């Protein structure tokens, strides 16, 4: 299975339902954010400890899986519509972040790179 | 390149910086939503037509790629921490949605499945 | 009715249910974002024209009102917990934005202030 | 100061810059979500304890105030555009929630009302 084949499945799904006109980049960004909001709702009242064991509660685990699948679906669909290679974009972003957050200065710190000094 | 190898790169990146203690499922859900918010900001004032051609403006195209990479990164990292197989979860969700949204009833409609009748 | 009296109603509501321990600033920020996500879901597939007439469809109008009330509730509750005077904060922000976006340069443009020139 | 007068200030601000055409309900919902995302970013890596004392760090306190003011601004502007009385909507929502979450059953529990039994 590849990112590309998942994107093809999602494109076929939309085409069979004539949903392409809804799937503008702007609308897909909103749908992605809407699904992310549903993911937040699962975690919002949990302590850090409870959030770590969320997958051992089957109904909650199922909700988490489904919401993450929805986020993934809209992210892949949006990348397809915009013709962005997500895997390549991520590798480039990791390289950029490697320069912004050198391991010796960023170690154990959650600060933004602009506050790491240099 | 596979989802798994990207997750390993992200896990290594976090480990080298001792960021694991920040990467709880709850915190990663928030970071995912924060990056999604940045993606929304690029599209919020665009008309549908402008949103369709956003990739032909190089500085904007670059921002879109970077923000989508950030969303992807946190989604992969969260799935790794929760030991969720994202590809499998997505295939299952597509099957569920195929039943919720039969092509003949959902055609050309943006309604939620609860409103499609039957 | 004042912001302060609404905050008191919300504080009483939480206290009667012993929900204060859930209402940390972090958790309330997540809940605020979760409700904002539900608001997005109402608008995500609408054209600009459809979004303008959403209030003339009673079931949709009702959902919009309820989700906006939820966003307002968590925003007020979070401000109360953090002891932030929202009205004062907004007046200050309007003054800051007046300087960042001078009317003669920002007219008819959706650009960020950093791109307005000077 | 009233909600109504703040909305008038925001409407004047937009009118002076000829921003009304950007301020559709759909676009304002996105802007609201974008600002909420920025608020999340401040809290995402904080422990519950750190999030409780965020206002004692002046630069962070300032960011929190500004982001909450931005969220408030877009919420008020959206309510104005849709002609929704936010205060009335909130009072009605509190009454609805009072029925969904009776104090004796909801006490100390973060469950959704559908799981409270009856």
């Amino acid at each position: 299975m590849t990112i590309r084949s998942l994107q093809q499945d999602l494109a076929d799904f939309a085409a069979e339902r004539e949903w392409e006109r809804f799937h503008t980049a702007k609308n897909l960004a909103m749908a992605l954010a809407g699904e992310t909001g549903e993911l937040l709702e699962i975690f919002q009242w949990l302590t850090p400890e409870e959030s770590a064991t969320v997958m051992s509660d089957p109904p909650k685990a199922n909700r988490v899986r489904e919401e993450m699948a929805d986020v993934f679906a809209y992210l892949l669909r949006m990348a397809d519509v915009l013709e962005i290679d997500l895997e390549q974009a991520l590798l480039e972003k990791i390289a950029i972040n490697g320069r912004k957050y050198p391991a010796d200065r960023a170690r154990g710190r959650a600060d933004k790179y602009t506050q790491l000094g240099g």
Side-chain angles (χ1 to χ4, degrees), chain A:
Chain A
M1 194 167 19
T2 63
I3 291 281
R4 189 64 218 126
S5 76
L6 290 167
Q7 285 177 315
Q8 192 57 55
D9 289 351
L10 293 166
D12 292 344
F13 194 96
E16 285 161 15
R17 284 154 188 82
E18 296 176 13
W19 283 354
E20 290 102 331
R21 70 184 167 93
F22 301 122
H23 286 191
T24 64
K26 177 168 177 143
N27 291 0
L28 290 165
M30 292 178 81
L32 176 62
E35 297 299 339
T36 307
E38 292 192 43
L39 196 57
L40 287 178
E41 288 178 10
I42 304 173
F43 289 95
Q44 66 196 10
W45 308 127
L46 303 187
T47 62
E49 295 71 31
E50 288 166 343
S51 104
T53 59
V54 73
M55 299 308 286
S56 57
D57 172 350
K60 268 200 189 121
N62 205 45
R63 278 182 67 203
V64 172
R65 283 186 102 237
E66 285 209 31
E67 298 305 344
M68 291 188 75
D70 283 336
V71 172
F72 193 30
Y74 284 123
L75 181 68
L76 290 179
R77 187 82 187 110
M78 189 175 171
D80 193 16
V81 164
L82 293 173
E83 297 179 32
I84 288 172
D85 181 332
L86 265 188
E87 293 172 300
Q88 189 56 35
L90 178 51
L91 289 177
E92 289 171 24
K93 194 65 204 283
I94 292 173
I96 291 170
N97 281 347
R99 290 189 295 272
K100 279 183 179 172
Y101 297 93
D104 60 323
R105 283 211 297 277
R107 186 160 294 128
R109 297 175 59 180
D111 300 297
K112 213 179 163 90
Y113 67 95
T114 46
Q115 300 179 303
L116 291 182

